[in-house]
Amino acid sequence: MAEVRTIGSLPVPNVQALAGTCNGSDEQIPERYIRTEATCEEVISNYHGDMVIPIIDLNKLLSPQSSEEECVKLRSACQYWGFFQLINHGVPEEVIDNFRSNIIEFFSLPLDAKKEYSQLPNSLEGYGQTFVFSEDQKLDWGDMLYLQVHPTDSRDLRFWPTYPASFRQSLDAYSSETKSLSLCLFEFLAKAVGAEPESLLGIFEEQPRGMRMNYYPPCRQADKVIGLSPHIDVVGLTLLLQVNDVQGLQINKDGKWFSVNALNGALIVNIGDTLEILSNGKFRSVEHRAVVHPSRERISAALFYYPCQDLVISPLPDFVKDGKVKYKTISYQDLLTEYFTTELDGRNRLEKMKLEPNLGMSMAGARAIGSLPVPNVQELAKTCNGPDEHIPERYIRPEASSEEVISNYHGEAIPIIDLNKLLSPQSSEECVKLRSACQYWGFFQLINHGVPDEVIANLKRDIVDFFSQPLDAKKEYTQLPNSLEGYGQALVFSEDQKLDWADMLYLQVHPSDSRDLRFWPTSPASFRRSLDAYSSETKSLALCLFEFMAKAVGAKPEALLGIFEEQPRGLRMTYYPPCLQSDKVMGISPHSDVVGLTLLLQVNDVQGLQIKKDGKWLSVDAPNGAFIVNIGDTLEILSNGKFRSVEHRAVINPNKERISASLFHYPCENMVIRPLTEFVKDGKVNYRSISYLDFMTQFFTQQLDGKNRLEMLKRVTLDGENSKGSFDVKMEDSKLGIAMAGARSVGSLPVPNVQALAEICNDPDEHIPERYIRPEASSEEVINNYQGDMAIPIIDLKKLLCPQSSEEECVKLRSACQYWGFFLLINHGVPDEVIANLKRDIVDFFSQPLDTKKEYTQLPNSLEGYGQSFVFSEDQKLDWADMLYLHVHPSDSRDLRFWPTSPASFRQSIDAYSSETKSLALCLFEFMAKAVGAKPESLLDLFEEQPRGLRMAYYPPCRQADKVMGLSPHSDAGGLTLLLEINNVQGLQIKKDGKWFSIDAPNGALIANIGDTLEILSNGKFRSVEHRAVINPNKERISAALFHYPSENMVISPLPEFVKDGKVKYRSISYLDFMKQIFTQQLDGKNRVEVLKLDQHLHGYTTTPTEEEQEREKSPMAHARSTGSLPVANVQALAETCNDPDQQIPERYIRADANADEVISGDDCTAAIPTVDLSKLLDPLSSDEETEKLGSACQQWGFFQLINHGVSEDVIRDARKDIAEFFRLPMETKKAYSQLPSGIEGYGQAFVVSHEQKLDWADMFYLVLRPGESRNMALWPAHPPSFRNSIDRYSSETARVARCLLEFMAKDMGVRPGSLLERFQDQPQGIRMNYYPPCREAGKVVGLSPHTDAACLTLLLQVNDVPGLQIRSPGGRWLAVGAPPDDGAFVVNVGDILEIMSNGKYRSVEHRAVVRPDRERVSAAVFHRPCQDAVVGPLPELVGEGGGDNARYTSMGYLDFMKRYYSAKLDGRNHLDGLRIKLSSSKG
């Protein structure tokens, strides 16, 4: 990978040369090569049975009958060995044999010849050694040649040997053949452990591969040297090929070295460090080494598969089913740097990546953490309950009676869940209740739970009997100093701490072998037995609840089950004595449980449990026989906040004791607690990770403090990692957590009220203050009256929701988001009344006296309230506006100090508008995702239930409106903004193509726009567009913008759903940091989001400049967007004037060559181009004969007419009709689709590269067709209305035909179809529609200059019935192509790329278009191109054993080839002939 070009290895002697001298009987091996460990460790060579390295058969993996069984073997091999031999792998023997022979031949060359490919000082690529970093380091007995093989454009051919002559070709063939093999393995590796097959495929597909060829010379003292030091591979996967028949690989298993005997023809596959980490240790990267033979050299070739170079390596969610993350996160760059800058050290480097596994503690830390001794409360109560006695000061709790308690409540009662109903097949309704209970209450009562009445009655009786015993009897079970287990109290850590009015007996009940029977009472005699029975009966009940809880939120039932099954459980039996002054004491302090789940049993009939909901305490009355179940902190974290751990406490009865028994369910003791993948569907990790030991230590070493402990976990430090491998951000105050606008942590400097200022400044004698004067307000072009495709798109929500129109409207939505970033939304479903009420109340608010509005003024460190924002310096230019900003969602984030009480209905109106627009926004997020082929929930989950804020803006009139700015140019930070125009004064302007467009919003429509966050999340598929607000000279303007933000602690980065091609275009940033950037600097257009764009050159991608500068390079036809054509006159318009008898054709169009050559009529049957019948190609009876005709046509002519091609008449007819209709449109309409200065896509001309160049008599319209996501819909005409649909259908049909033709061409060439077709992955395709106007002096002009097509294959459709194509015949004369054999025939021609790939077997023939004097001609050429990372060069199978010596053309990357093509005017075959290699006379 790239590191091999930035990290070097110190130069050392060539070992092959050294061996030539050291193998003499009198010669000593240099000290640096002597390795004492070479013989001191046990090596097992002859082993059998289970000790043999596994053998995996790829045929069996692929066979439906044996795949499952072979998958089990594969999993075992990767898990326990980390190595396996792969047989029947499908790499042709010929490819392997050629590769082997070339490697052997290379290492057999003289040293000087090999040294031509020596590594450079700062590189590992080339011939030499690696991992040598100090002068005294021990050295390996081997030389190596390391080359990057993929991507092909990353190959540094300086290091690729030219001898043997076929070396490059054989290495390329081997790399190509093993590509699909490795991807197949990644799929089966994932499948073998139950992960999604694409979970690994997406990480390694199309990523870098490197080849290391190793030469280990013989050494007569082989037992003193090592060929390659013990190490593990840093990569994902390694495929090792034994080049000759000398063995030498050894792997370390169970502390012993095992010699691997490679099977002939097998590949040895091993897991690398990266894959061990990604799999969370399910696969093992195993230490291995190479030893040396005393009399024979050994040669091997290791092919390494790397992940994406900017990947952050951490366990993948698919491999972390139980929440136990076993490895730290590290960037791949750092991992590689560590690897290539230190000497090989076995597995030490990887072991350091492991998270500490032995952090565990038993449930509740009960044997390691103690509580200070305090008086027995049961005894204390006997004395304190006398009328003259006082309660000790440490028990007095003022808060016991100071907070509101609701005892008699209705409707809001704690939910009751019926287990019988959950277990019933009709359980969905009860599941919904369970989810609601866990989500909004955190508590529920469980009835019909199935625990036998007798078991419960026995336990109750024995607990009562225990607490009824004398104190001395109970004291026999007193807690030890460092333990919480036993009789006493918990959570007492200081001498002045306030105490609870209770005693407790805490016991570990599961696993049974963890029970410390010293603390298990023997009296009453049945105590132990009844407690054991209760523990057993409740076990299955708890597991059942975990299953249904997971199911209730759409997770797999086993998601929680696997964490809590067979894990620790503890029982706390609590005795609360009565207290006459019960309102002064507390039974147990407010707290939340640290565990997963608690089952509370009310032992006697005295109530006392209270839970906190919405800031109030609710008393819980437990029905007889029911359990009270509550969620613990651990489960809240695991569920990522979908379940709530709720604060609760116990209060005291003045007359009767209360007894309860709480059964706590803990997770695995050494687990790292973090949100489970199943509960993080949207990438929003809400809690930082913490080891369970640390979590329990926090709980048991400090007094109870409500939910503070858990809340702290929502505030993540910079070194805390979330489950995505990203870091979250620590906030100084929990109130700062509202990321939405940072409105509570970032302020704006106070400035004058603009509404008041306007009243003064609008006087004719008054001047506008200098800080408001904005020269740019009137200096830039503004377009007001525009129509057609230049109008802001209108999206109809009804059409989106209607099955019949949804697809078409989705295309419009995609185009709007991609090219405009704004759209008008009509039929949105928000009731007129809601909108009318909101408008009325906002107008009324701003109409109030200034003093009234000032009651809601922003605080110094806040943007919420009435005032202004984005003012950060005293000399900053100011906007001509006031605003009122409010948090509207979640409802509990509303700061009602800033919510006006006048007008009286204001709060109600805002609340109703917020509620009504909520579902609308979520609906839009769904359709936006759907519009680009992503899962609807990919965006929905990120924004559902997340913050929303409303900014109401008041723009006063200004008589000098052209000097001020209502709101500076900016883009919005959030995900989506819905703007409502409050009055009928317009003022919004958006920037498109460097110009400002005024937006006129229809009455009742909402204006929707994409925010920066959504641009980043969509990886640039949606655009956040710069916009501003301008001022009206006579009337105020009022608007209301509703901002939709993501989760406050999210890390913003492109979502996988939107990164289908591996090209990540934006850096990751925490949302808090992003918001701080926005709210701590003045508005600056889109600069903020632009700096987040990755420099595509640095990451191996093609460039992605903005649309205003250059069109983004989105497809293999990218050259069409990066290479422009000089503007020239429109020929259709020119022809209308030049065809007048008195007018002259401009000199630049006069072509002396137009009539200089002889033209043969195509009607002459001896000169007619061949006709090929596709139906005969497909017919087994005629296929061979027709394939021969096809080959002959391609070889001799380079052109043929294709009939019976299978494209329906309807598709052809519609395409013809719409193309012809487009060219008939008025000039101004067509110009709306004009090419941009730096692109040839759109309407215009191509290949005009100088001002004196002769011009063609034609206009053209070029569009990229495939891949679909590369289409620039801004250039796809909306009229005729059916144009887009008909061209899309035509594209699909012709792609099928082209693929079919390429298969038969491969057959004719004698190569595998796959070797040709793989270069056309995704079938890139473009269409050029040509319009040749008539010219009365047609003999003086040329429609299209003589040229060859750069593409692979061109399918030409004659749109009207006017011929004009001429081709250069084999004899050098021009041949006019006559009427097609049938009306729908295609004229097919071979392009330059296909000529090169065929090594000259097929011909790319020069052709041109001529013009008619009386009629226009219209045609459509569809070009089929290879994928952008293809190498344009002869196919290896056609070059044969002679390799490069038999190649007739120079190879180059496709992009370089296209740049060469588009940077020169059309020049016949000159550019192609320039690539031909001159063959020596000896080769004919």
Side-chain angles (χ1 to χ4, degrees), residues 599-623:
L599 268 59
L600 179 76
L601 177 68
Q602 195 68 37
V603 173
N604 61 356
D605 59 354
V606 179
Q607 308 296 330
L609 174 65
Q610 295 181 349
I611 68 174
K612 200 164 197 177
K613 191 172 191 301
D614 302 327
K616 299 173 183 176
W617 289 104
L618 302 188
S619 295
V620 177
D621 294 324

Side-chain angles (χ1 to χ4, degrees), residues 12 14 117-119 124 126-130 142-146:
V12 293
N14 181 270
Y117 308 103
S118 290
Q119 297 163 336
L124 297 177
Y127 179 63
Q129 263 207 26
T130 52
D143 300 315
M144 71 93 174
L145 172 66
Y146 180 86

Side-chain angles (χ1 to χ4, degrees), residues 183 261 302 310 375 400 409 736 738 749 771 882 924 1158 1226 1298 1334 1373 1388 1417 1441 1459 1479:
L183 297 180
N261 294 318
D310 58 359
Y409 47 83
L736 304 189
I738 312 283
L749 294 178
R771 288 187 71 188
D882 302 313
L924 286 175
E1158 182 183 357
R1373 295 178 293 180
V1388 182
R1417 174 176 175 252
E1441 294 182 2
K1459 282 176 185 174
L1479 301 181

